Amino acid sequence: MTLLVRRLAVLGVVAVVAVLACTEDLTAPGRCDDFCPPEKIVLHDTILDSAITRDSAYGRPIGYVDPPGAPVMLAESLPGVRTSRAIFRFNPVALLRRVIAPPDTTTGPLLQPDSVFVALRIVRREAKATNLTIHVYRLPLTIDSTTTFSDPTVSDSFATALLRSVNIDTLLARPKIRDSVIANDTVHFDSTTGDRIVMDTVTGQVQYRLILKFDSLAVPFDTTDSGRVALGVRVTADSFASISLSASEQFNGQPPSILWFNRFDSLGTIVSFRQAPRSTGGPGAFDGFVTTPGPTALDSNLLVGGLPEARSLLRLNVPRSILDSTQIVRATLILIPSDSVRGVPSDSFELLAHAAAVDFGAKTSILADPTLSPDSTIMRVGLPDTVRIEVTNLLRRWQVDTMLPRTMVLQQGVHLSGFLQNGVTLAEARFYSSRAALQRPRLRITYIPRITFAP
Amino acid sequence: MSRALHPLALLVALIGILARPLGAQDSQFGMSGLGTPGRFESVRSRATGGAFAPFDALSALVDAPLAWADHLTISSGNATSYRALDFPDGRTWVRATRFPVLGLSGPIGHGITVGGGFATYLDKSFDVSTRDTVVIRGVPVPVTDRYTSDGAVADLRVTAAARISQKLFVGAGVHLLTGSARVRAGRDFADSSYVDTFEASELSYDGFGASASLVAVPVPSLRVAAFLRSDSRLRARENGTVLARNDLPTTVGAGLRWQPGSRAAFAASIVSQSWSSAGPNAYNTVNWSAGAELGRGTPLRLGVRGGHLPFGPGGRAPSEFGLAGGTGFTFSEGRGLIDLSLEHLSRNGVGLRERVWTFLVGITVRP
């Protein structure tokens, strides 16, 4: 071996060792207590009976979301429980007149349509409902956010001005056709009435787009009102008749729309003219719903959900010895219902526990932090069980952000079209407040006290 | 510096950068006490089981041998160890790389040589994972706990040695013990209802020591060494708060080196340390070693060692027995040295046997 080769070999060995110097794997199974460090991880679990104080409910009679501002319009017929009807008004049509024969700029009026299509998106429906039938009524244009269920003009219209009744189950049983004119989709089509329906699962939920065809007798083209139309929807079924229609306030929604196929006299030749579709959003439009009986008033209990939407605030007084000096591994808010959750029997919603950014009572704002998802639990209608919400994330956030008020906001949330939205359902939950000594809200915390490391 | 020394100097720097500093050959037994004591031995001494350390200027065990260092010398060592942990119910392998010793020395005239450097005094690195099931809220929940410590206490030394006569060399040194350990304890829950958590901190350590030694040469083929070291106490702090003070041992040792010819040398040493005052699960130790260096240029080094570790559970000091071998290469007319060593240690204590294979590389530069 030459001297050079010998040197290179030795240097090579040293270089390999130098590279190996980067690696390490010291992990070994512990055999406690002999071969473990003396410090121990100890868990404590405690129920804080009086940690929740000064709790209040807000949102009645004016809610955080009211029916006219809700993302959905609720139509329900629940005998003995409540009745709700959707009401909406489309905004004016784009054109009332049209140029008769270009380039002459003389215009002539649009004539009565030969067909009118009204599209509704059913975003939620009671799955157990059979023979679900939608009834469409003509309503006066005077409907607005002050309209109530017992308003005579509205109640009279629902009693007399029925335009169409459509059985959803029957329509869904119709054969499919390709509709490239109205729905631009494959639809179940009723060739007799011209109605069509599309089942849509794009958002992860089963939704329906219902398109009803009317003629000018049912929905006349009234130029004195700029072609505005107000309609109402009532729903019936064998039982559990309940649907939610997308409203203009729904994020990622599809509010009702109307499509006019007007006719036009072009120097003696009657031609069709398709108007741009109108919706229930924008100037002159309105959508909402009316319900009876009206919302229950607040009492000494905590209320979450419903419409007008109610929220509850809980102020927490967690001992500093826990909040400041421990690792909270689990925290559970325990709420005892004062009444079973009210709503459609198979309905459910999420009960969300948010951290408050500031505590201004009813004006309290929720902490908007994309890194902190609200803690939540599923609430099912009709179940009177004790409710437990895991609020670990919230309390751990309080541990790292001492400036936040120790206030928790309970809010309702419903997944709708891929987003968690509130003001979607009339279901509401009531819980005992801290004023009920035996049933008051409680906080259960599991934590690990600070570890003293062995020297 | 010759051209051949350039890559050597580069490798010294490379190892210094890549290796985790201030470590040593750790042991699970060290968790019972203050840690695992380091060996103040150079790679060439490790190859002889530590027997030549009392006569090795590159080792940090004894100060007096510095007196015959006639050049500025820089040396470092790198150790990669594979350790098998044999518990009664199974075996686990762990791997670690350490940078246990670095030294710098040189003559300043009048027969006096000064030196300095660092060596691992106590290694405090470990990583332990345990599984258990705890009952929380009335429900059994599987958990995994993990305790880690990453750090060590280093011995920063300044020493001086002098040639009193042709037959007597003496040395003395002061030692500053300093270091830190990043400690972490965490628990993972199998039930996602519980949040995995951990707590971390950094502990700092300090202490002080002094040493003195002499090497006598009664006949040219025989050298006898005796050494004494006393360390004060180890103070542990967390965020400036003193957590503990632990007494450190007094070390007494002796060595014998016999060189019957130019191609063979034999040595033996014994070291006693009074660790029992350091806290619970601590014991006084006596460690011995014997070794030989055969040949010149690229010698063959062999050694054997035995004794006890100072910390261990069960009321009994773990025993240790080791075999070692190695060699070395000289470059550039003796200005560059590379020493290689392979060591096998067997440790037996209550509830655990450890088998350790350690490969060491030492680099010495005499510019």
Side-chain angles (χ1 to χ4, degrees):
Chain A
M1 185 183 294
T2 67
L3 183 61
L4 178 61
V5 172
R6 196 176 101 174
R7 284 176 176 174
L8 290 175
V10 173
L11 291 176
V13 170
V14 175
V16 169
V17 172
V19 171
L20 286 175
C22 296
T23 65
E24 179 167 279
D25 179 12
L26 279 177
T27 306
R31 294 295 188 276
C32 298
D33 293 323
D34 288 344
F35 298 103
C36 283
E39 56 264 22
K40 291 288 176 287
I41 296 174
V42 180
L43 275 172
H44 290 262
D45 185 50
T46 183
I47 296 177
L48 303 175
D49 289 326
S50 57
I52 294 159
T53 59
R54 298 189 298 126
D55 44 350
S56 304
Y58 303 96
R60 299 285 164 82
I62 306 299
Y64 292 90
V65 176
D66 292 311
V72 296
M73 294 177 287
L74 298 171
E76 297 179 337
S77 295
L78 304 173
V81 181
R82 65 174 167 258
T83 302
S84 300
R85 292 165 184 173
I87 57 175
F88 45 91
R89 181 179 63 235
F90 297 103
N91 49 21
V93 294
L95 295 173
L96 295 174
R97 301 177 65 84
R98 193 180 173 210
V99 173
I100 296 173
D104 185 354
T105 57
T106 303
T107 61
L110 294 175
L111 304 178
Q112 285 296 323
D114 58 1
S115 57
V116 182
F117 292 88
V118 174
L120 306 170
R121 174 168 282 266
I122 303 172
V123 292
R124 300 180 82 212
R125 63 168 286 193
E126 169 56 48
K128 293 178 181 176
T130 54
N131 275 325
L132 181 67
T133 304
I134 289 177
H135 310 276
V136 181
Y137 296 83
R138 183 81 184 261
L139 297 185
L141 295 176
T142 55
I143 59 171
D144 60 16
S145 60
T146 63
T147 301
T148 62
F149 189 90
S150 57
D151 190 316
T153 58
V154 173
S155 58
D156 289 350
S157 298
F158 274 107
T160 60
L162 178 64
L163 300 180
R164 172 70 53 77
S165 293
V166 179
N167 187 305
I168 298 297
D169 297 335
T170 302
L171 188 54
L172 283 170
R174 294 284 182 178
K176 288 183 177 179
I177 65 165
R178 177 66 192 177
D179 176 11
S180 58
V181 178
I182 308 299
N184 198 24
D185 203 342
T186 301
V187 301
H188 297 275
F189 181 65
D190 185 339
S191 58
T192 306
T193 61
D195 298 336
R196 58 208 76 193
I197 192 169
V198 181
M199 190 168 72
D200 178 6
T201 58
V202 172
T203 60
Q205 292 175 305
V206 177
Q207 298 185 351
Y208 302 91
R209 188 175 179 220
L210 174 64
I211 300 173
L212 304 174
K213 183 182 179 184
F214 299 96
D215 57 24
S216 59
L217 293 177
V219 184
F221 187 69
D222 189 350
T223 56
T224 59
D225 284 317
S226 301
R228 292 191 301 169
V229 173
L231 300 175
V233 172
R234 185 173 69 89
V235 65
T236 58
D238 294 339
S239 59
F240 312 129
S242 174
I243 64 168
S244 300
L245 300 175
S246 179
S248 57
E249 289 82 2
Q250 185 196 342
F251 181 71
N252 200 28
Q254 191 174 36
S257 63
I258 187 168
L259 180 60
W260 299 91
F261 280 87
N262 287 98
R263 293 180 297 161
F264 182 66
D265 185 353
S266 177
L267 298 177
T269 303
I270 302 300
V271 297
S272 290
F273 174 66
R274 178 176 176 156
Q275 293 265 19
R278 304 282 92 186
S279 77
T280 59
F286 167 78
D287 56 21
F289 66 95
V290 291
T291 186
T292 187
T296 54
L298 297 177
D299 55 19
S300 63
N301 294 319
L302 304 176
L303 177 63
V304 180
L307 277 165
E309 187 210 0
R311 298 176 186 176
S312 291
L313 263 63
L314 308 179
R315 277 93 174 184
L316 276 76
N317 183 20
V318 183
R320 293 191 62 177
S321 58
I322 294 177
L323 206 55
D324 294 352
S325 308
T326 70
Q327 300 269 355
I328 296 175
V329 296
R330 186 178 183 182
T332 307
L333 178 65
I334 303 170
L335 300 167
I336 299 175
S338 61
D339 191 3
S340 59
V341 180
R342 299 174 182 179
V344 181
S346 65
D347 199 4
S348 64
F349 60 86
E350 285 192 49
L351 181 61
L352 308 172
H354 294 277
V358 290
D359 186 349
F360 290 147
K363 302 287 187 182
T364 293
S365 61
I366 291 172
L367 180 68
D369 183 350
T371 65
L372 180 65
S373 300
D375 295 306
S376 66
T377 190
I378 301 294
M379 301 289 295
R380 303 188 190 285
V381 168
L383 294 182
D385 296 344
T386 298
V387 174
R388 293 175 175 81
I389 311 176
E390 301 300 333
V391 291
T392 313
N393 295 331
L394 200 152
L395 263 71
R396 287 173 69 92
R397 177 58 183 264
W398 285 350
Q399 287 188 302
V400 298
D401 190 344
T402 58
M403 299 297 286
L404 284 177
R406 305 294 189 247
T407 303
M408 194 182 292
V409 181
L410 298 182
Q411 183 194 24
Q412 183 186 64
V414 175
H415 281 281
L416 191 62
S417 299
F419 295 90
L420 195 61
Q421 303 191 36
N422 53 313
V424 173
T425 173
L426 286 166
E428 59 186 31
R430 288 176 181 272
F431 306 104
Y432 286 108
S433 69
S434 61
R435 289 166 286 283
L438 298 178
Q439 291 92 13
R440 60 182 302 161
R442 290 174 170 81
L443 187 66
R444 184 169 192 175
I445 298 183
T446 306
Y447 61 94
I448 298 174
R450 189 178 185 281
I451 298 169
T452 301
F453 289 99
Chain B
M1 183 183 293
S2 71
R3 290 167 58 191
L5 279 179
H6 288 287
L8 278 178
L10 186 65
L11 280 173
V12 171
L14 183 65
I15 291 175
I17 292 170
L18 293 179
R20 295 180 50 230
L22 308 180
Q25 184 179 280
D26 41 19
S27 168
Q28 300 302 102
F29 291 110
M31 275 190 289
S32 306
L34 298 181
T36 305
R39 303 190 190 285
F40 305 137
E41 299 161 356
S42 66
V43 174
R44 64 164 64 174
S45 294
R46 289 282 286 270
T48 62
F52 281 71
F55 310 98
D56 181 13
L58 302 180
S59 295
L61 182 65
V62 180
D63 309 317
L66 279 181
W68 54 77
D70 53 359
H71 289 86
L72 177 63
T73 305
I74 307 169
S75 65
S76 71
N78 180 284
T80 298
S81 63
Y82 291 81
R83 187 157 47 103
L85 309 177
D86 290 326
F87 293 103
D89 56 348
R91 166 179 285 196
T92 300
W93 282 93
V94 297
R95 182 177 72 248
T97 298
R98 296 290 185 258
F99 188 41
V101 64
L102 184 140
L104 172 68
S105 62
I108 59 171
H110 305 290
I112 299 175
T113 303
V114 296
F118 70 76
T120 301
Y121 189 82
L122 284 169
D123 190 290
K124 289 180 166 291
S125 295
F126 59 81
D127 187 340
V128 173
S129 178
T130 65
R131 294 177 187 274
D132 198 358
T133 298
V134 295
V135 176
I136 317 173
R137 302 186 179 189
V139 178
V141 178
V143 298
T144 302
D145 291 348
R146 190 170 181 182
Y147 303 90
T148 63
S149 173
D150 186 7
V153 179
D155 174 10
L156 301 179
R157 70 184 185 281
V158 176
T159 59
R163 181 195 304 264
I164 303 300
S165 69
Q166 291 294 327
K167 294 188 176 183
L168 184 62
F169 304 84
V170 297
V174 292
H175 303 260
L176 176 63
L177 305 180
T178 183
S180 64
R182 290 184 294 274
V183 290
R184 185 182 189 277
R187 170 166 287 182
D188 293 347
F189 297 88
D191 183 346
S192 60
S193 300
Y194 296 89
V195 177
D196 298 342
T197 185
F198 74 92
E199 188 169 332
S201 187
E202 181 158 343
L203 308 180
S204 61
Y205 304 93
D206 63 81
F208 181 77
S211 60
S213 58
L214 63 84
V215 175
V217 187
V219 295
S221 62
L222 189 66
R223 295 179 181 180
V224 179
F227 52 96
L228 171 69
R229 172 171 173 162
S230 178
D231 298 311
S232 60
R233 50 92 189 103
L234 188 67
R235 186 167 55 184
R237 299 170 186 259
E238 183 183 18
N239 297 323
T241 303
V242 175
L243 292 182
R245 282 186 175 85
N246 294 91
D247 288 336
L248 292 176
T250 297
T251 302
V252 178
L256 184 70
R257 183 177 186 271
W258 177 51
Q259 187 169 4
S262 61
R263 291 182 172 273
F266 303 92
S269 68
I270 187 166
V271 180
S272 172
Q273 291 183 290
S274 58
W275 279 104
S276 62
S277 58
N281 296 321
Y283 315 96
N284 293 334
T285 61
V286 175
N287 291 288
W288 57 267
S289 62
E293 183 174 289
L294 307 173
R296 300 182 64 184
T298 307
L300 173 65
R301 299 179 180 123
L302 298 169
V304 59
R305 71 194 318 153
H308 292 88
L309 293 174
F311 304 109
R316 180 165 61 86
S319 64
E320 182 181 63
F321 180 79
L323 296 171
T327 186
F329 303 92
T330 304
F331 295 87
S332 301
E333 301 174 345
R335 292 179 183 276
L337 303 171
I338 292 181
D339 294 305
L340 303 175
S341 174
L342 183 64
E343 181 185 68
H344 178 261
L345 292 174
S346 175
R347 296 163 177 159
N348 288 296
V350 176
L352 174 65
R353 292 176 64 193
E354 283 188 341
R355 300 286 181 267
V356 190
W357 285 97
T358 304
F359 179 65
L360 301 104
V361 177
I363 297 178
T364 303
V365 178
R366 291 171 177 156

